[in-house]
Amino acid sequence: MAKDRTPPRHRRWFYRFAIRNGTGKRRWPIRSAGINFALGYGVLFLISATLFLSFIWWSSTSLLNDHVRAFIETDAQELRHRWNHGGAEALGDAITDRLEQNIDDDALYLLMDRHGRRLAGNLPGWPVAIKKMNHFYELTIRRYTFTTPAQFKAYALPHGFRLIVGHDIRGRTLLSTVITRTVIWCAVMISLLAVGGALVVRDLFRRMVGSIARTASAVANGDLNHRITLTGSETDLVAETVNTMLDRINRLMEGVRQVSNAIAHDLRTPITRARNQLEEALFSASSPDELRVAVDKAIGDLDHITGIFEALLRIAQIEAGARRSAFTIVDLNQLLANMAELYEASAEDAGLKLKLNITTLPALFGDERMLQQALANLLDNAIKFSPPDSTLTLSAHPVMAAATSSNTNERQRPLGLEISVQDQGPGMNDADILRAHERFFRAESARNTPGSGLGLSLVQAVTSLHHGRLILTQANPGLKVTLFLPLTPEAEQTGRSTTPTQNTS
Amino acid sequence: MRILLVEDDPTVRSFVLKGLKEAGHNVDQADNGKDGLYLAIGEKYDIIILDRMLPGGIDGLNILETIRGQKNNTPVLLLSALSDVDDRVDGLRAGGDDYVTKPFAFSELLARVEALGRRGHNESAPETSLTVGDLTLDLLSREVRRNGQKIDLQPREFRLLEFLVRHAGQVVTRTMLLEKVWDYHFDPQTNVIDVHVSRLRQKVDKPFETAIIHTVRNAGYILRPAQD
Ligand SMILES: Nc1ncnc2c1ncn2[C@@H]1O[C@H](COP(=O)(O)OP(=O)(O)OP(=O)(O)O)[C@@H](O)[C@H]1O
Ligand SMILES: [Mg+2]
């Protein structure tokens, strides 16, 4: 027995993350399509939210900076104005004034004389970082008990005086906190949404697959009539395919059931007859001749049973499908002529006339022997069910595609061909026509003609093998049985090779 | 004729053995592939009858392939429970000369065995005419005369008669005729062959005093010269 190949549980994790041989690809550990879908979606969402917020951050800080710088510039402009009018004194006063009126407490000043003495302003001393005049600096400074970022610009005044105008940009810190908080909240919310979405999507997936799974398990449990309900969603494609498959399985099962019923009923009869005959002869035959007759009859019955078995087996073999090993290019003209010659004698013997109505047929890719057998069964039926002095007609002709004006330039190629056998017998009613191809089916009126009801089943199997159709029509009087056989690309290539040609239809 | 029969089923073996002996043949038997192969290689037979399925590793096809590999052209008739077309084709491709599926009527087997034995003899000389009693067939002009009187036959009737004449004195079955004269390998459902034979009789026997084509009950037909 094959060993269970899955590694023990504790090692499976290892395998999940282990680097795959050669390819170097890691296997993604999460299998649920719904969760993966939601996860992917969440990550995408998070990335776009971060990008979006970063943009907001970037544009608002740069706006703030511009604002602050503009403010510093105008302020400095005005202060220099004061200097021009009233010198250091007036400038110092103006600075003190401004500091007093500055409710937001965000303005920073420093005025120094030539000797580095502080004349006015709220900065404790000249920051070491500021070396160049007329240049913006962004520095972190200590104010009271906290540190804060600030923008500065230093200006040189006449007589060695120097001025620093600055602005506390604590607001930006505030903004950054708000934005950070937003990012965090967004992440939390997106995660929640992703998890919720994952659950919803998984549920959705489950519901889609569930209907298919339910049907499959019903079928597994033996209820072959269960079908997947179509919902109009994307899974319908799968559902339809599975339903078609189930139909086919059902038909095959039906066939098997029919055969077992047939074995139970239809084979029992000849077996019983043979047995009874032998038993009766054993007990009551009074002479060797009588015994011989009984044994002879029993052998006949056994041969009949063998015949039924052969026919059943052959049908089963053909129906098992795709048994196309014997397919070759078949010259149907020759085949029909020879079959007609063979059966013409039988027809004449039964007082019937066999009329031929055959137009030249293209070559067909098929199983010659099976086609002969099918035709033999049809001719046999026609001869068997015809009244004396009537006529049988064997006709055959190629079937052209319905001519469309668009492709008249192309030479007309036949779609397939039709072979039919028509008689002038009792024919069949519609209900019987529907059942004619069933195994062992024989119409009520056919009870006293010999046969076992397998002839048309075999014809049906042979036509299906050739992807064709068996059509029975009431011909008043009589029955017309038609085989439609499509031409496959192989036949057109006349054996050159078996690569399929371009379909021009 | 000297015949080798390789068959593992004791009932079938004794049934065939008895029948062949009654028909005047000299039969050796083997119930497994090894003994069968040993006899087939060591002795000279006119015909070998081989069951396809044999116990013990060596089956009918192995034996057939081995003896054919040794340029031994003894006619071989295969017996098989498989009636699948493919199996039949396999058997003939491996070098078998004829194929009979089980269950079979002994008359069918005997007819085929005798036909095969006959074939071994007259393979050499290509004749231009066949003569049996007062019946002459000219194979070149396709002319048939009986008692000097010309008989008009259809091409198929000629081939049917030719086959019967070539196997004159032997029983030929309906299936053999269908296979050899018509080259058909399907079940014709009705008595098509009987009808064709009876048509032939209308031309070959009816106008004359004695019949040469006879029906053998439960078996088939036999052509026997009128003098007998
Ligand atoms: N040409 C026909 N005219 C009237 N009825 C027909 C004809 N062919 C078939 N049938 C009806 O269809 C039934 C099934 O035909 P089918 O060939 O399968 O069986 P069968 O001829 O009765 O037996 P088998 O072919 O096995 O010897 C026949 O029993 C008969 O009732
Ligand atoms: Mg029939």
Side-chain angles (χ1 to χ4, degrees):
Chain A
M1 278 279 95
K3 270 224 260 146
D4 186 8
R5 292 257 205 78
T6 48
R9 214 164 211 307
H10 61 278
R11 293 197 63 192
R12 236 180 282 162
W13 266 101
F14 167 75
Y15 277 102
R16 280 190 182 179
F17 288 105
I19 290 171
R20 286 269 207 82
N21 266 349
T23 64
K25 264 193 193 162
R26 272 169 215 267
R27 198 136 125 223
W28 182 246
I30 297 172
R31 299 279 166 80
S32 158
I35 289 179
N36 278 331
F37 184 74
L39 217 64
Y41 217 75
V43 168
L44 198 77
F45 220 74
L46 215 61
I47 290 173
S48 39
T50 314
L51 277 176
F52 179 65
L53 288 171
S54 314
F55 175 72
I56 289 184
W57 164 252
W58 174 77
S59 62
S60 41
T61 47
S62 61
L63 193 78
L64 209 71
N65 275 354
D66 289 353
H67 207 73
V68 167
R69 286 175 185 200
F71 177 78
I72 290 174
E73 296 273 20
T74 36
D75 205 13
Q77 190 74 39
E78 224 182 279
L79 289 175
R80 261 191 288 184
H81 204 65
R82 288 290 174 94
W83 170 274
N84 291 345
H85 284 272
E89 202 91 347
L91 181 54
D93 287 349
I95 288 174
T96 319
D97 254 16
R98 276 179 199 207
L99 284 173
E100 261 162 27
Q101 276 161 30
N102 182 228
I103 305 165
D104 288 342
D105 192 21
D106 54 1
L108 301 166
Y109 299 100
L110 180 66
L111 178 63
M112 282 186 137
D113 66 8
R114 168 177 33 194
H115 309 292
R117 266 179 310 189
R118 180 173 151 237
L119 300 181
N122 54 354
L123 285 179
W126 191 268
V128 264
I130 299 180
K131 291 187 176 102
K132 278 193 275 178
M133 296 292 133
N134 277 322
H135 185 83
F136 277 108
Y137 286 94
E138 189 173 328
L139 304 170
T140 314
I141 52 162
R142 267 195 84 83
R143 296 192 67 198
Y144 316 114
T145 54
F146 54 88
T147 56
T148 172
Q151 293 259 8
F152 297 101
K153 197 169 179 180
Y155 299 89
L157 299 174
H159 315 299
F161 283 82
R162 285 174 297 171
L163 172 68
I164 289 179
V165 180
H167 206 89
D168 182 344
I169 47 172
R170 182 164 12 133
R172 205 176 69 178
T173 327
L174 230 67
L175 184 73
S176 106
T177 349
V178 167
I179 284 183
T180 316
R181 218 177 283 158
T182 314
V183 168
I184 292 171
W185 274 109
C186 262
V188 169
M189 252 147 32
I190 286 169
S191 307
L192 283 178
L193 277 174
V195 169
L199 294 179
V200 170
V201 168
R202 194 180 57 170
D203 204 53
L204 224 74
F205 273 16
R206 281 225 175 125
R207 198 139 357 118
M208 279 168 153
V209 180
S211 141
I212 297 175
R214 257 195 314 284
T215 305
S217 74
V219 171
N221 286 327
D223 176 10
L224 275 173
N225 292 318
H226 212 281
R227 288 292 177 278
I228 304 168
T229 36
L230 300 183
T231 54
S233 77
E234 286 79 352
T235 44
D236 276 9
L237 201 66
V238 181
E240 266 168 50
T241 318
V242 172
N243 283 349
T244 323
M245 186 180 84
L246 287 176
D247 286 344
R248 168 117 176 97
I249 292 177
N250 214 2
R251 264 202 310 282
L252 288 175
M253 289 294 290
E254 192 52 45
V256 172
R257 207 167 304 143
Q258 266 185 33
V259 172
S260 31
N261 284 349
I263 290 173
H265 298 114
D266 297 72
L267 281 177
R268 218 164 245 269
T269 322
I271 292 174
T272 313
R273 206 165 53 214
R275 191 184 188 288
N276 290 352
Q277 245 153 24
L278 288 172
E279 198 172 355
E280 198 195 311
L282 183 64
F283 289 125
S284 59
S286 49
S287 70
D289 274 348
E290 255 182 67
L291 203 62
R292 200 159 276 141
V293 168
V295 170
D296 203 41
K297 268 197 187 153
I299 289 177
D301 281 335
L302 287 176
D303 284 347
H304 176 60
I305 295 165
T306 311
I308 292 179
F309 265 121
E310 288 256 333
L312 276 176
L313 274 177
R314 205 174 307 144
I315 295 170
Q317 251 176 20
I318 299 171
E319 277 186 352
R323 216 199 63 92
R324 300 207 168 76
S325 55
F327 270 41
T328 49
I329 306 289
V330 180
D331 178 5
L332 284 170
N333 301 302
Q334 196 59 43
L335 188 148
L336 288 173
N338 287 342
M339 290 296 287
E341 188 239 36
L342 183 65
Y343 278 86
E344 188 266 330
S346 297
E348 195 190 278
D349 192 51
L352 306 169
K353 217 171 104 45
L354 178 61
K355 215 174 82 188
L356 296 185
N357 182 5
I358 299 174
T359 3
T360 311
L361 298 173
L364 178 86
F365 188 64
D367 184 332
E368 180 161 22
R369 199 178 120 157
M370 289 301 161
L371 290 170
Q372 286 167 343
Q373 181 74 65
L375 204 60
N377 289 6
L378 295 186
L379 288 167
D380 172 55
N381 279 353
I383 292 172
K384 192 161 64 179
F385 293 107
S386 281
D389 293 323
S390 62
T391 306
L392 311 178
T393 317
L394 171 63
S395 25
H397 54 88
V399 180
M400 296 296 168
T404 48
S405 49
S406 61
N407 55 357
T408 37
N409 53 339
E410 197 185 317
R411 203 167 56 84
Q412 275 278 319
R413 216 157 30 92
L415 265 187
L417 44 93
E418 260 177 18
I419 302 172
S420 63
V421 177
Q422 185 172 351
D423 60 52
Q424 298 178 328
M428 295 173 82
N429 62 38
D430 291 344
D432 286 349
I433 281 180
L434 284 181
R435 299 191 54 203
H437 66 275
E438 284 176 19
R439 286 181 185 77
F440 295 105
F441 174 79
R442 309 198 72 210
E444 212 48 58
S445 53
R447 291 284 175 227
N448 42 20
T449 52
S452 42
L454 289 173
L456 287 178
S457 313
L458 192 116
V459 177
Q460 171 73 63
V462 172
T463 23
S464 303
L465 182 72
H466 291 82
H467 300 297
R469 276 198 311 275
L470 168 66
I471 307 145
L472 278 74
T473 35
Q474 182 66 40
N476 294 322
L479 187 74
K480 181 178 181 187
V481 187
T482 309
L483 303 186
F484 170 76
L485 302 172
L487 283 176
T488 48
E490 284 101 316
E492 286 155 29
Q493 295 217 326
T494 329
R496 255 183 291 141
S497 74
T498 44
T499 43
T501 48
Q502 201 86 31
N503 229 334
T504 43
S505 61
Chain B
M1 280 194 291
R2 194 149 181 246
I3 300 173
L4 171 64
L5 170 66
V6 189
E7 161 70 63
D8 60 309
D9 186 317
T11 324
V12 177
R13 195 174 60 243
S14 69
F15 164 69
V16 173
L17 190 73
K18 186 157 165 274
L20 288 175
K21 278 189 172 150
E22 264 167 27
H25 298 294
N26 182 359
V27 189
D28 285 351
Q29 50 168 322
D31 64 358
N32 62 69
K34 222 174 103 225
D35 295 353
L37 185 61
Y38 180 77
L39 284 172
I41 290 176
E43 308 276 319
K44 183 100 190 75
Y45 293 101
D46 296 309
I47 285 190
I48 301 175
I49 302 173
L50 273 182
D51 186 16
R52 253 194 85 150
M53 307 269 222
L54 291 169
I58 301 176
D59 71 4
L61 280 192
N62 297 144
I63 298 180
L64 177 56
E65 276 159 2
T66 312
I67 63 175
R68 287 291 183 259
Q70 300 187 341
K71 302 263 180 308
N72 179 338
N73 286 324
T74 312
V76 168
L77 185 142
L78 288 165
L79 283 183
S80 164
L82 309 165
S83 74
D84 196 344
V85 203
D86 292 344
D87 294 311
R88 192 195 157 82
V89 171
D90 283 351
L92 297 184
R93 197 174 291 150
D97 298 276
D98 209 347
Y99 200 95
V100 173
T101 45
K102 296 181 199 171
F104 53 85
F106 180 73
S107 52
E108 181 77 41
L109 180 73
L110 183 64
R112 283 171 186 269
V113 164
E114 299 201 322
L116 274 184
R118 166 70 69 89
R119 212 189 58 178
H121 292 299
N122 55 14
E123 232 163 47
S124 46
E127 316 103 312
T128 53
S129 75
L130 299 170
T131 306
V132 177
D134 56 357
L135 183 75
T136 321
L137 274 77
D138 187 327
L139 296 178
L140 298 178
S141 64
R142 309 242 126 197
E143 210 177 72
V144 181
R145 284 180 186 276
R146 187 169 172 196
N147 232 342
Q149 193 176 326
K150 192 169 175 250
I151 303 174
D152 272 329
L153 292 183
Q154 300 286 317
R156 185 74 70 183
E157 289 167 340
F158 184 89
R159 289 185 55 190
L160 182 56
L161 185 62
E162 183 190 334
F163 187 83
L164 288 170
V165 167
R166 280 188 190 279
H167 293 93
Q170 287 175 10
V171 177
V172 293
T173 64
R174 295 174 178 82
T175 354
M176 279 167 77
L177 290 175
L178 190 70
E179 285 178 17
K180 305 281 153 58
V181 178
W182 274 269
D183 193 26
Y184 278 167
H185 292 272
F186 64 89
D187 169 15
Q189 305 262 314
T190 46
N191 55 351
V192 273
I193 299 302
D194 290 344
V195 182
H196 281 275
V197 172
S198 99
R199 274 189 171 184
L200 183 66
R201 278 173 158 171
Q202 289 290 318
K203 295 184 178 172
V204 177
D205 280 346
K206 193 85 175 293
F208 303 92
E209 260 172 41
T210 46
I212 51 173
I213 302 171
H214 305 274
T215 308
V216 182
R217 227 175 78 77
N218 286 335
Y221 298 97
I222 186 167
L223 187 141
R224 228 184 275 120
Q227 284 94 326
D228 301 2

